[in-house]
Amino acid sequence: VMALQEAAAASALPDGVIGSADLRYLAIFVGQCRFKMPKGGFPCDSRATLLSLRNGRSLLAFSRGEILYHLSGGYDRQPNPENYYLSIDSLGIQSPDINAVDRGMEGECHFRLNKDASKFFSIECDVYNRAQGEKYNFVLDKITQTHHRSF
């Protein structure tokens, strides 16, 4: 996913970076990012990446340096053109020291956008692990750029 973020940020995304035909949609958002986790809150990198796969799953990735946080789910809803919701059922963390996925999550990411989806304003994800009593919040707001491509 980091290679995707870097390649897309550099210029147009070459097909070779994707590899298989699993990808249906890719979007990269640039804005102000922050996390809230059980052990406190902190800023994160200014880019978030949304991958929508042909199997119906979607993955939203945030990063902070070498640490990648990815939220994923299989259901979405869009009650009106300005509000899109992605259901979340897992949270993964990858870094040089950690590669873990918690599949006991529940929650959703709320994307605020304009009617024709040409401009995104914010993404806010609230996810919980009820069994562990932990809550996570990921926010990318003040979005200044959106790069997207369908496959």
Side-chain angles (χ1 to χ4, degrees):
V1 174
M2 295 301 281
L4 289 175
Q5 286 180 331
E6 292 162 9
S11 63
L13 192 64
D15 290 334
V17 173
I18 301 304
S20 73
D22 293 337
L23 195 57
R24 185 170 58 91
Y25 179 80
L26 166 78
I28 297 173
F29 308 96
V30 179
Q32 290 186 354
C33 185
R34 61 192 180 278
F35 296 150
K36 287 183 197 152
M37 304 189 131
K39 294 185 166 92
F42 46 88
C44 41
D45 299 340
S46 63
R47 259 182 278 179
T49 303
L50 174 67
L51 302 170
S52 178
L53 305 175
R54 295 202 183 276
N55 67 5
R57 301 276 305 165
S58 293
L59 181 137
L60 182 63
F62 297 89
S63 61
R64 181 174 188 221
E66 291 185 308
I67 304 170
L68 178 70
Y69 300 90
H70 49 90
L71 304 157
S72 64
Y75 301 99
D76 61 8
R77 61 189 175 92
Q78 192 163 6
N80 57 55
E82 294 96 349
N83 291 283
Y84 171 74
Y85 296 87
L86 175 62
S87 174
I88 301 299
D89 58 26
S90 72
L91 167 64
I93 300 174
Q94 285 182 289
S95 75
D97 305 322
I98 301 169
N99 187 0
V101 177
D102 183 344
R103 289 178 172 51
M105 303 303 289
E106 57 187 272
E108 65 184 6
C109 294
H110 176 200
F111 295 73
R112 286 185 45 250
L113 57 151
N114 65 359
K115 283 186 181 183
D116 68 0
S118 62
K119 184 158 177 54
F120 284 74
F121 305 109
S122 67
I123 303 167
E124 182 161 6
C125 303
D126 287 305
V127 293
Y128 309 87
N129 182 314
R130 287 185 198 264
Q132 296 176 4
E134 293 178 340
K135 176 183 176 183
Y136 300 85
N137 175 259
F138 297 83
V139 176
L140 186 75
D141 59 11
K142 299 183 177 125
I143 295 174
T144 57
Q145 295 176 39
T146 303
H147 309 280
H148 52 86
R149 181 168 170 187
S150 295
F151 297 88

